[in-house]
């Protein structure tokens, strides 16, 4: 299993544990040098969004994946966690609809978590 795939599974499971809504995985490696994958999810409010972030950080650290940077935690509307190969975007429901990141990155390929090996 590649590091990217392992990171995807760890982050996805952490988001799922905190009841994240509409978790999407986008393969962007063909269209961007920023990262290989985006994971996008949303929560209902600032507290849930921050709890999702905390859970991802904890799970990734336990799996020995280092965070490059974290942005937006204190605001809680859009938190970005950069793990080099993957970037996790955690939105409030309102912010996700406003920024519509899936449309912006629509050239990326949607990945089913069940197909991540």
């Amino acid at each position: 299993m590649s590091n990217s795939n392992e990171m995807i599974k760890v982050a996805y499971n952490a988001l799922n544990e905190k009841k994240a809504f509409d978790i999407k995985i986008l393969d962007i490696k063909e269209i961007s040098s920023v990262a290989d994958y985006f994971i996008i999810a949303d929560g209902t409010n600032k507290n849930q969004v921050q709890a999702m972030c905390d859970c991802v950080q904890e799970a990734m650290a336990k799996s020995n994946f280092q965070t490059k940077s974290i942005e937006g935690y204190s605001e809680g509307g859009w938190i970005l966690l950069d793990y080099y190969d993957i970037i996790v975007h955690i939105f409030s429901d309102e912010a996700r609809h406003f920024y519509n990141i899936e449309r912006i990155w629509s050239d990326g390929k949607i990945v089913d978590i069940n197909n991540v090996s």
Side-chain angles (χ1 to χ4, degrees):
M1 176 183 329
S2 77
N3 266 358
S4 294
N5 289 353
E6 189 175 340
M7 284 191 272
I8 289 169
K9 286 182 176 185
V10 171
Y12 184 96
N13 289 334
L15 291 166
N16 198 44
E17 179 182 321
K18 290 299 178 187
K19 311 280 190 253
F21 292 99
D22 197 19
I23 306 170
K24 293 247 171 65
I25 304 164
L26 289 180
D27 180 338
I28 60 165
K29 63 181 164 274
E30 302 283 323
I31 59 171
S32 177
S33 61
V34 172
D36 291 341
Y37 297 94
F38 280 171
I39 300 178
I40 306 162
D42 65 271
T44 56
N45 58 53
K46 178 180 177 178
N47 290 338
Q48 183 186 14
V49 168
Q50 289 174 332
M52 291 161 50
C53 175
D54 294 340
C55 192
V56 170
Q57 284 184 278
E58 184 178 319
M60 295 294 268
K62 283 182 181 175
S63 296
N64 294 316
F65 297 121
Q66 301 299 313
T67 310
K68 181 178 177 184
S69 65
I70 299 169
E71 303 291 334
Y73 185 89
S74 61
E75 294 84 13
W78 177 1
I79 302 174
L80 183 144
L81 298 106
D82 187 342
Y83 287 95
Y84 299 93
D85 293 340
I86 72 164
I87 297 176
V88 181
H89 298 272
I90 306 172
F91 290 96
S92 66
D93 182 55
E94 183 179 305
R96 186 168 185 177
H97 286 95
F98 179 79
Y99 290 107
N100 199 0
I101 196 166
E102 290 99 323
R103 184 186 55 77
I104 295 168
W105 289 91
S106 63
D107 289 342
K109 298 175 188 137
I110 295 177
V111 176
D112 184 329
I113 190 65
N114 297 315
N115 295 331
V116 176
S117 55

